[in-house]
Amino acid sequence: GAVVSQHPSRVICKSGTSVKIECRSLDFQATTMFWYRQFPKKSLMLMATSNEGSKATYEQGVEKDKFLINHASLTLSTLTVTSAHPEDSSFYICSARGGQVSGNTIYFGEGSWLTVV
Amino acid sequence: LAKTTQPISMDSYEGQEVNITCSHNNIATNDYITWYQQFPSQGPRFIIQGYKTKVTNEVASLFIPADRKSSTLSLPRVSLSDTAVYYCLVGPSGGSYIPTFGRGTSLIVHP
């Protein structure tokens, strides 16, 4: 199956700083990428949808100025948490769709743990 | 967007077959059914996808009745490592489909 990779897998940052999480589709071109947030023992909550070369579409309640999403190429999307606060600590997951390898199926990255101290 | 309903939790024992059913009464004609497995602190992993009847791969089988209003993920001879949360997603192929997750089914396999 298709491979989606996230980096870093774990990051700790100080309150008030910004942190960037990368999501790469390694063996296919991802026309669409999705970003999710997941709290312990809860389901995945969609944050935003990004199409290559376009602005991301954010779900209701997600602050677009705080969670900056860039999908500059067909293999890379980034999520930047700006001015992070402890309440932003969470597990962030990306997924990608598109291309012959992926086809109809959406594949997920390994996830990234963010801890804001 | 087809809403899905799954049992919140299931328990099984090593070596048993486990069947997890997902209800999707308002599935559309062009919708596919996809199952994912998620371990703690990992992203969901694709298990299997189908449109109708039966699909089988090296890890699972997916049974879809003729009316497609439900589907059953079958895991043969589970082991402790199959303890995970299983999600059923229903949506069209490609296009503007945005995958959203329900609560999933937490499967616990006991020794």
Side-chain angles (χ1 to χ4, degrees):
Chain A
V3 179
V4 177
S5 180
Q6 276 183 248
H7 178 81
S9 58
R10 290 182 178 275
V11 58
I12 300 173
C13 71
K14 291 185 177 181
S15 187
T17 63
S18 296
V19 61
K20 180 184 289 186
I21 300 170
E22 293 186 348
C23 177
R24 294 181 184 273
S25 55
L26 299 186
D27 52 0
F28 68 100
Q29 293 184 324
T31 53
T32 306
M33 286 186 168
F34 307 92
W35 286 93
Y36 297 83
R37 183 174 182 177
Q38 187 174 34
F39 293 104
K41 299 190 182 299
K42 299 293 184 182
S43 187
L44 285 74
M45 181 182 72
L46 180 66
M47 297 175 67
T49 302
S50 72
N51 293 297
E52 185 266 338
S54 304
K55 288 185 178 180
T57 301
Y58 291 81
E59 294 299 299
Q60 190 172 9
V62 178
E63 299 176 62
K64 62 180 180 180
D65 294 329
K66 181 168 189 61
F67 298 100
L68 300 179
I69 292 171
N70 183 279
H71 191 167
S73 78
L74 284 171
T75 59
L76 174 65
S77 176
T78 59
L79 167 66
T80 301
V81 182
T82 63
S83 187
H85 291 284
E87 57 265 31
D88 299 324
S89 298
S90 189
F91 190 53
Y92 293 89
I93 308 169
C94 74
S95 66
R97 174 182 69 210
Q100 278 191 322
V101 174
S102 170
N104 303 331
T105 306
I106 295 166
Y107 292 91
F108 290 80
E110 310 96 325
S112 300
W113 271 110
L114 169 62
T115 302
V116 184
V117 298
Chain B
L1 194 66
K3 180 181 177 182
T4 59
T5 303
Q6 302 175 231
I8 294 175
S9 63
M10 293 182 69
D11 288 87
S12 184
Y13 292 89
E14 283 190 292
Q16 289 188 335
E17 178 184 75
V18 171
N19 296 309
I20 305 175
T21 298
C22 178
S23 296
H24 29 80
N25 290 317
N26 59 339
I27 187 170
T29 304
N30 59 342
D31 283 346
Y32 285 75
I33 301 155
T34 310
W35 285 81
Y36 292 89
Q37 174 192 56
Q38 187 183 26
F39 298 113
S41 297
Q42 294 186 27
R45 182 178 75 104
F46 170 83
I47 301 176
I48 197 166
Q49 184 181 70
Y51 182 80
K52 62 181 180 180
T53 62
K54 176 183 175 182
V55 180
T56 297
N57 62 21
E58 61 275 10
V59 297
S61 294
L62 178 59
F63 298 92
I64 306 168
D67 65 6
R68 305 202 325 125
K69 293 184 182 298
S70 66
S71 58
T72 299
L73 174 72
S74 181
L75 305 173
R77 298 178 298 282
V78 294
S79 63
L80 297 178
S81 62
D82 292 316
T83 294
V85 178
Y86 292 82
Y87 294 97
C88 161
L89 270 69
V90 175
S93 61
S96 59
Y97 168 52
I98 298 174
T100 54
F101 284 75
R103 297 181 64 176
T105 298
S106 176
L107 171 66
I108 298 176
V109 180
H110 303 275

